[in-house]
């Protein structure tokens, strides 16, 4: 549903990540671009502009130039990385929100931020939607969080200086991650969406102990390139659905692009992602009584694997998410995918190759499905598959911790020091075999 006050997609606004104020412009191109924007907003942020009786524009002494340029650069650095992909960022408009807490040790405060940001909005350099209590994916109200992203005019200006989507990784590096406060609920069970029953089952002691053990291990290691991880496990409706572990804070390792994660170090050692190949599809096959076929599971008959693998993978995400074969692309799917191959084309090939996809609700045991509100039963399939994946990852992390190591959850992957990559791979394989009776394919992301 579209909000009458703007023409932007509500779905895209709800998907916005928290703005990072830990990035800085790097290199001549980015710094020249920032200096240009800083000069453009200057008439709007000086205390007394010429239009109000101050000195004529260009004649007043610009004592605050360095500070204004530095702060403008930090704001732009937080927006540009995601902005080139059309992504929004969210930030509290009011002073009282979590974002502006003194404990986060941000480089400047609410007033300095919004003075410069509103100047950029007025000049048409930023797209803006005021904070009106958007709900996140968990149904939680997000208070006064506004949405911001670079406008097309700002992106064109950046490109004129040589700052592009391709150079964004080097133009806007993370330098000073904001610290994250510990959370009161390490394990959270949210009620089913739109359910009249707001109660949930109690959190088992073993899960609380697991999360405490994980945080205790993290506390004994040094992290650079990201905020010190503070983790929370989340379920939907019951312990049978979801259960992934999320890192909190704007500068957490999970919200970073993979290019950024390569600069994370644990105790000075580079990290490696160790992941389950085609996790949801593999688990769905095994739960449906099928063996894993050889080769890439996303290779389908009649589909150019090299050209359309990303689209095929997205089709399976949509299919498991809805609990039925995807017949049309949603607006969430990348426009490039939507324009290059139709969802029904992939559907036809997928059903031919994997007939079990015609009826997916059998994946969830009847005793569990009966606890799900009728309005949520389609989504229950994907959430149940995620819960199985999450159980495998918890067992693998437990094994690694027991051996004296540390592993950070990354959904269907673990982030570990390079020297622990082989042990992490073995831990995931053994955990999958213990839970499913078969060993999932596990490898390194490059």
């Amino acid at each position: 549903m579209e909000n009458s006050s703007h023409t932007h997609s509500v779905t895209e606004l709800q998907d916005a990540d928290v703005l990072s104020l830990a990035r800085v412009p790097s290199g001549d191109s980015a710094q020249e671009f920032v200096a240009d924007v800083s000069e453009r907003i200057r008439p709007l942020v000086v205390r007394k502009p010429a239009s109000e009786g101050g000195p004529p524009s260009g004649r007043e002494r610009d004592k605050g130039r360095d500070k204004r340029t530095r702060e403008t650069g930090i704001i732009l650095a937080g927006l540009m990385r995601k902005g080139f992909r059309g992504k929004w960022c969210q930030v509290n408009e009011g002073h009282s929100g979590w974002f502006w807490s003194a404990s986060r040790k941000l480089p400047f405060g609410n007033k300095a931020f919004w003075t410069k940001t509103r100047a950029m909005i007025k000049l048409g350099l930023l797209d803006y939607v005021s904070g009106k209590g958007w709900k996140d994916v968990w149904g939680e109200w997000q208070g006064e969080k506004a949405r911001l992203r670079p406008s097309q005019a700002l992106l064109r200006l950046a490109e004129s200086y040589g700052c592009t989507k391709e150079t964004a990784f080097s133009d806007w590096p993370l330098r000073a991650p904001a610290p994250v406060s510990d959370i009161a609920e390490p394990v959270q069970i949210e009620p089913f969406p739109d359910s009249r029953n707001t109660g949930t089952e109690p959190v088992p002691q073993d899960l609380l102990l697991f999360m405490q053990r994980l945080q205790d291990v993290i506390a004994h290691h040094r992290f650079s390139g990201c905020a010190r991880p503070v983790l929370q496990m989340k379920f939907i409706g019951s312990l049978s659905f979801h259960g992934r572990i999320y890192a909190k804070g704007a500068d957490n390792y999970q919200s970073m692009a993979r290019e950024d994660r390569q600069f994370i170090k644990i105790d000075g050692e580079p990290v490696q992602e160790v992941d389950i190949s085609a996790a949801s599809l593999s688990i769905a096959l095994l739960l449906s009584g099928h063996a894993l076929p050889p080769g890439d599971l996303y290779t389908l008959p009649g589909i150019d694997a090299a050209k359309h693998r990303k689209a095929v993978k997205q089709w399976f995400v949509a299919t498991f998410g809805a609990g039925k074969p995807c017949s049309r692309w949603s607006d969430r799917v990348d426009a490039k995918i939507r324009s290059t191959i139709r969802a029904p084309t992939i559907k036809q090939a997928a059903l031919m190759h994997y007939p079990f996809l015609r009826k997916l609700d059998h994946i969830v045991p009847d005793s569990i499905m009966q606890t799900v509100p009728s309005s949520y039963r389609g989504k229950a399939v994907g959430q149940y598959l995620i819960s199985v994946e999450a159980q495998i990852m918890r067992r693998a992390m437990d094994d690694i911790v027991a051996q004296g190591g540390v592993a950070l959850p990354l959904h269907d992957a673990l982030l570990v020091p390079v020297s622990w990559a082989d042990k992490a791979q073995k831990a995931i394989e053994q955990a999958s075999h213990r839970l499913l009776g078969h060993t999932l394919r596990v490898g390194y992301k490059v």
Side-chain angles (χ1 to χ4, degrees), residues 14 35 61 73-74 81 85 140 158 188 194 267 293 375 405 415:
Q14 290 175 329
R61 294 178 62 189
I74 291 172
R81 282 294 300 274
R85 293 179 283 133
E140 298 170 346
Q188 187 178 61
D194 303 321
D267 297 327
S375 62
L415 193 68

Side-chain angles (χ1 to χ4, degrees), residues 226-438:
C226 67
R228 180 184 68 85
V230 174
L231 306 176
Q232 183 179 49
M233 186 186 300
K234 291 194 174 185
F235 294 89
I236 297 178
S238 76
L239 297 172
S240 298
F241 299 103
H242 210 75
R244 279 178 171 171
I245 299 174
Y246 290 86
K248 311 297 286 185
D251 303 316
N252 73 75
Y253 67 94
Q254 289 182 350
S255 66
M256 294 177 179
R258 189 179 302 168
E259 297 93 336
D260 280 328
R261 284 199 289 269
Q262 68 177 301
F263 288 100
I264 295 175
K265 292 185 177 181
I266 301 178
D267 297 327
E269 183 178 351
V271 294
Q272 174 68 57
E273 292 182 38
V274 184
D275 79 314
I276 300 172
S277 176
S280 290
L281 177 54
S282 297
I283 293 170
L285 278 164
L286 294 176
L287 292 179
S288 300
H290 301 282
L292 299 182
D296 183 358
L297 299 189
Y298 292 136
T299 298
L300 299 177
I303 303 291
D304 186 331
K307 184 177 180 181
H308 296 301
R309 188 180 189 279
K310 187 176 180 180
V312 171
K313 183 177 180 179
Q314 184 60 55
W315 185 89
F316 277 104
V317 170
T319 292
F320 292 131
K324 60 181 180 181
C326 174
S327 298
R328 60 183 298 273
W329 295 124
S330 76
D331 292 340
R332 290 177 181 265
V333 176
D334 188 284
K336 187 176 181 180
I337 289 177
R338 298 200 307 265
S339 65
T340 54
I341 187 168
R342 298 172 62 246
T345 302
I346 299 177
K347 176 181 176 180
Q348 182 179 8
L351 293 181
M352 182 186 303
H353 197 57
Y354 298 118
F356 83 95
L357 294 172
R358 297 180 184 277
K359 188 172 177 58
L360 287 172
D361 57 1
H362 73 276
I363 289 175
V364 184
D366 289 340
S367 59
I368 294 176
M369 187 64 89
Q370 290 173 8
T371 68
V372 180
S374 58
S375 62
Y376 194 75
R377 291 191 175 181
K379 295 182 179 179
V381 174
Q383 298 302 318
Y384 183 75
L385 291 174
I386 289 175
S387 78
V388 176
E389 166 211 290
Q391 291 177 61
I392 292 169
M393 290 306 185
R394 290 201 297 272
R395 293 187 184 196
M397 283 186 281
D398 238 357
D399 287 349
I400 293 169
V401 169
Q403 296 176 61
V406 60
L408 300 179
L410 199 56
H411 305 328
D412 63 353
L414 295 179
L415 193 68
V416 297
V418 168
S419 61
W420 279 80
D422 289 345
K423 293 179 181 178
Q425 179 177 355
K426 186 175 181 179
I428 298 172
E429 290 172 345
Q430 291 178 337
S432 67
H433 193 275
R434 289 199 300 268
L435 190 64
L436 298 170
H438 298 270

Side-chain angles (χ1 to χ4, degrees), residues 90-105:
Q90 56 172 279
V91 57
N92 289 71
E93 292 196 69
H95 293 79
S96 60
W98 156 85
F99 186 92
W100 298 108
S101 169
S103 65
R104 299 192 68 222
K105 301 178 182 177

Side-chain angles (χ1 to χ4, degrees), residues 61-123:
R61 294 178 62 189
D62 193 6
K63 294 181 179 179
R65 181 181 61 183
D66 291 346
K67 181 180 180 183
R68 184 181 68 250
T69 302
R70 179 180 65 84
E71 294 178 354
T72 300
I74 291 172
I75 295 169
L76 290 173
L79 292 168
M80 297 303 292
R81 282 294 300 274
K82 298 180 185 296
F84 276 110
R85 293 179 283 133
K87 301 293 186 181
W88 294 86
C89 289
Q90 56 172 279
V91 57
N92 289 71
E93 292 196 69
H95 293 79
S96 60
W98 156 85
F99 186 92
W100 298 108
S101 169
S103 65
R104 299 192 68 222
K105 301 178 182 177
L106 297 177
F108 47 86
N110 176 285
K111 183 178 179 180
F113 173 86
W114 281 106
T115 297
K116 296 167 185 65
T117 297
R118 293 195 189 284
M120 286 188 271
I121 294 169
K122 189 171 183 178
L123 292 175

